[in-house]
Amino acid sequence: MRLIDKIKGVFRKKAVEKDKLFQYEEFKERYVSKSLKENRDYLQQVFTHTKDIIIRNITIRATKQNLMIVFVDGMVDRNVVNEHLIKPILIDMAPENYGRRLSFEEIRDSFISAAEIKEAETFDELVLQLLSGDTLLFLEGQNRGLIIGSKGWESRGISEPTTEANVQGPKDCFVETLQNNITSIRRRIRDPNLAIEMLKVGRRSKTDVAVVYLKGVIMDGLAQSVIEKIKKVDVDSLLDSSQLEYLIEERKWTIFPQSVNTERPDKACAAIFEGRIAILVDGSPFAVLVPSTFSMYLDASDDYYTRPLVASLVRFTRYFCYFLSASLPGLYVAITNFHPGMLPPRLALAITTTRVALPFPTFVEVFIMESVIEIMQEAGLRLPQAIGQTVSIVGGIVIGQAAVQAGLVSPIVTIIVALTAIASFTLPNYNANLTTRTLRIPFIIAGSTFGFFGIVMLALAILSHMSAIETFGVGYFEDFSPYRLRDLKDTMVKVPASLMKDRPELLKPQDTVRQVNNKSSGENQDEK
């Protein structure tokens, strides 16, 4: 009986899915009727449980024609609807038009003063634009509708970046409105070759996605590859760019990010100039940059607004901190358990003295303190901003001091774990920070099990895995290997801008030169 019930349940589920699919196809193929009443009844049937759909019936007294205007309250600019749609039709009617029936084209071209107007014959397109913030206009006797651009919902104003703070450089950031984000890029790239491909993702959300790149610079076939990858995404809804970032990744089971997300328009524009693609999602204040390489996760915007020698020193510090953040606790466990002879005698004696009365082995000590640090970081992130930082800092100090005084952990472990956490804060990319936090546990286990041998073997395995990762045909470590001097000029070190005249070779750009010789004619004449 259970088997029969399961079979019945499967067929019942398939029947429900087929019914839903049939309803969707029926809605998709529904055409506009010449009768306003039929159109109004159908819209009221579609939006039965929706109270913010405004349907306004208008009769033009001069011509005795009936119109119907439909919009979503709160998503339109009332000034556009009133001043550019209703007022021109009802008030600005010329005397010579009295008694004469106006054609659909006359109303569209002569009376509606909105900047954006489109026509559609199916309710699939009309309802989609209606829910996107546009206004619909239907005319009695016409089997098509007008889509008047009237988007005007409230949005967050442009402010300073919160996840990528900088000392020098621009202070603006992306916001949740797609058009504002596109405008921020357009302001910086005034090139007619800037291409913006618009897509829609999500069966129900119909989220707008913009693929932005520079024609004539980008690698051949890269844009088409990214667009096809996005078109294959089949989800119910898309609410943020991070969701799309994971859906278009080529390797799903890896802790290493395969695309860079940024809320800084200048960083996105710099990537576009190099020959990369920026993906913008409506409702998300972050842009996704592809293809990506490892060095991009350790680059900060300040590097390009400071002197090259200073930027190189800071970058080298970040690479060193990346290594410390991932492996320092594991190295400490390996040294104390397997290789104490590598330490100076006095340091080894000091560590041994602090561990005489401790009840737990080094592995357990480090694991406990790492767990406490992770809990404090998560608590500080979820608490309100006004008290989050205070709680995380005070809580860390109090718990660390109490654990040492209670004889649960040694002072040196507290220092190691705190230094590891501070090193992770130097990483400019949040996904890179999460990666190092994830790698600490395997390194601690490897160090406590096999010592330095385990640390080295695990590091080689991680490097092999990272070397095998590709993002849209570009290797994760391709800016380091194979060796290209042109690509190494902007990796662990940064050379002066005058020496970076070519775009990265790893991206295979069509236009390889990004900086021409800017010598004056007088200097050129002297050289001659």
Side-chain angles (χ1 to χ4, degrees):
M1 293 298 294
R2 292 182 179 179
L3 179 61
I4 295 175
D5 291 338
K6 288 183 179 180
I7 295 175
K8 288 182 179 180
V10 171
F11 280 107
R12 191 180 300 113
K13 182 178 180 181
K14 290 185 177 180
V16 172
E17 292 176 351
K18 184 177 180 181
D19 185 52
K20 288 183 178 180
L21 181 62
F22 174 75
Q23 291 179 3
Y24 175 75
E25 293 296 334
E26 181 185 27
F27 168 72
K28 186 174 182 179
E29 296 177 0
R30 180 67 180 249
Y31 286 87
V32 177
S33 172
K34 292 185 178 181
S35 172
L36 281 186
K37 183 178 182 304
E38 291 183 7
N39 296 331
R40 182 174 61 254
D41 292 343
Y42 180 73
L43 288 174
Q44 290 176 345
Q45 179 184 356
V46 171
F47 299 105
T48 303
H49 305 287
T50 304
K51 302 302 181 183
D52 58 347
I53 304 295
I54 307 300
I55 300 178
R56 171 81 185 276
N57 295 312
I58 299 176
T59 300
I60 304 176
R61 294 183 179 180
T63 63
K64 306 301 182 182
Q65 290 177 276
N66 295 324
L67 298 173
M68 183 174 68
I69 296 175
V70 187
F71 60 90
V72 181
D73 189 22
M75 294 189 67
V76 300
D77 186 349
R78 290 295 187 101
N79 182 63
V80 174
V81 177
N82 295 330
E83 299 296 329
H84 300 276
L85 181 56
I86 298 178
K87 183 178 178 180
I89 292 177
L90 295 183
I91 301 177
D92 298 339
M93 187 66 66
E96 60 268 17
N97 292 322
Y98 285 7
R100 182 177 67 85
R101 294 184 64 83
L102 299 175
S103 65
F104 190 81
E105 288 74 16
E106 285 181 302
I107 293 179
R108 180 194 63 195
D109 300 332
S110 302
F111 293 96
I112 300 176
S113 57
E116 182 182 359
I117 303 177
K118 296 187 296 184
E119 292 185 17
E121 298 180 353
T122 63
F123 276 101
D124 178 45
E125 183 177 357
L126 289 168
V127 170
L128 177 59
Q129 297 301 322
L130 172 67
L131 297 177
S132 299
D134 292 331
T135 300
L136 307 182
L137 185 143
F138 300 90
L139 177 63
E140 184 73 38
Q142 296 291 333
N143 59 352
R144 49 186 169 165
L146 283 181
I147 303 172
I148 296 97
S150 59
K151 298 180 180 68
W153 54 78
E154 295 293 330
S155 60
R156 178 171 65 96
I158 297 176
S159 58
E160 292 190 18
T162 56
T163 61
E164 297 176 89
N166 65 313
V167 178
Q168 302 183 42
K171 300 294 183 181
D172 59 333
C173 68
F174 288 125
V175 293
E176 287 76 11
T177 306
L178 178 61
Q179 191 57 50
N180 290 348
N181 296 339
I182 294 176
T183 303
S184 297
I185 294 179
R186 178 70 73 178
R187 284 176 48 231
R188 291 172 167 85
I189 306 178
R190 302 177 184 181
D191 190 331
N193 291 317
L194 182 67
I196 303 174
E197 303 281 350
M198 300 299 299
L199 306 171
K200 291 190 181 296
V201 179
R203 291 186 176 184
R204 295 186 179 275
S205 65
K206 303 291 184 183
T207 306
D208 291 321
V209 177
V211 180
V212 187
Y213 60 94
L214 205 54
K215 291 189 298 183
V217 173
I218 194 172
M219 179 198 318
D220 285 332
L222 178 59
Q224 291 75 14
S225 176
V226 173
I227 292 173
E228 290 299 324
K229 196 80 171 180
I230 296 175
K231 286 182 178 179
K232 291 180 181 179
V233 173
D234 187 10
V235 293
D236 202 45
S237 62
L238 182 67
L239 303 178
D240 188 73
S241 60
S242 59
Q243 290 179 279
L244 184 63
E245 177 184 353
Y246 303 139
L247 291 171
I248 64 175
E249 286 182 349
E250 298 182 11
R251 282 180 172 260
K252 305 298 182 183
W253 298 99
T254 180
I255 63 174
F256 296 97
Q258 298 167 54
S259 56
V260 176
N261 54 18
T262 179
E263 62 175 341
R264 298 185 58 88
D266 59 330
K267 187 173 181 177
C269 291
I272 293 173
F273 280 126
E274 283 186 341
R276 305 181 196 269
I277 291 179
I279 304 174
L280 305 174
V281 177
D282 189 25
S284 174
F286 289 90
V288 178
L289 308 179
V290 292
S292 64
T293 54
F294 176 73
S295 64
M296 294 180 65
Y297 300 96
L298 299 181
D299 292 347
S301 298
D302 281 327
D303 298 345
Y304 299 93
Y305 305 123
T306 56
R307 297 185 177 276
L309 292 178
V310 178
S312 299
L313 177 61
V314 174
R315 278 191 183 180
F316 184 80
T317 303
R318 291 197 204 106
Y319 278 85
F320 181 66
C321 289
Y322 186 91
F323 172 76
L324 284 185
S325 177
S327 62
L328 183 59
L331 288 173
Y332 172 75
V333 173
I335 290 174
T336 54
N337 286 354
F338 293 91
H339 316 284
M342 296 181 61
L343 297 175
R346 292 186 178 180
L347 179 59
L349 182 60
I351 294 175
T352 305
T353 303
T354 59
R355 291 190 42 80
V356 170
L358 295 181
F360 302 116
T362 308
F363 170 77
V364 177
E365 285 185 75
V366 174
F367 186 79
I368 290 175
M369 292 306 298
E370 282 292 339
S371 301
V372 170
I373 289 293
E374 290 297 326
I375 292 172
M376 297 307 300
Q377 287 185 359
E378 192 66 19
L381 184 65
R382 304 304 168 193
L383 286 172
Q385 186 175 4
I387 61 175
Q389 295 181 354
T390 303
V391 169
S392 60
I393 294 174
V394 175
I397 295 174
V398 171
I399 292 177
Q401 185 67 22
V404 172
Q405 292 182 352
L408 298 178
V409 297
S410 62
I412 186 65
V413 170
T414 305
I415 295 173
I416 291 294
V417 172
L419 182 60
T420 303
I422 294 173
S424 67
F425 297 152
T426 64
L427 306 180
N429 187 276
Y430 181 67
N431 287 331
N433 189 346
L434 293 178
T435 301
T436 59
R437 288 164 60 178
T438 308
L439 288 174
R440 289 175 200 167
I441 301 301
F443 272 108
I444 292 174
I445 295 175
S448 63
T449 307
F450 300 105
F452 269 162
F453 177 76
I455 295 290
V456 172
M457 295 304 295
L458 178 60
L460 290 176
I462 293 173
L463 289 175
S464 300
H465 171 69
M466 295 174 68
S467 301
I469 297 176
E470 285 190 358
T471 58
F472 296 99
V474 178
Y476 212 57
F477 279 149
E478 197 163 339
D479 43 8
F480 295 101
S481 177
Y483 172 78
R484 301 186 188 95
L485 181 60
R486 191 166 98 186
D487 293 345
L488 290 175
K489 295 178 181 178
D490 192 19
T491 52
M492 189 178 295
V493 296
K494 180 183 176 300
V495 301
S498 59
L499 298 179
M500 295 192 297
K501 297 181 180 180
D502 298 323
R503 292 184 172 88
E505 188 177 349
L506 62 95
L507 296 175
K508 302 178 180 64
Q510 300 179 45
D511 183 9
T512 60
V513 180
R514 61 178 170 186
Q515 180 176 327
V516 297
N517 193 350
N518 58 357
K519 290 184 178 181
S520 63
S521 58
E523 292 177 339
N524 292 334
Q525 187 66 31
D526 292 340
E527 290 182 358
K528 293 180 180 179

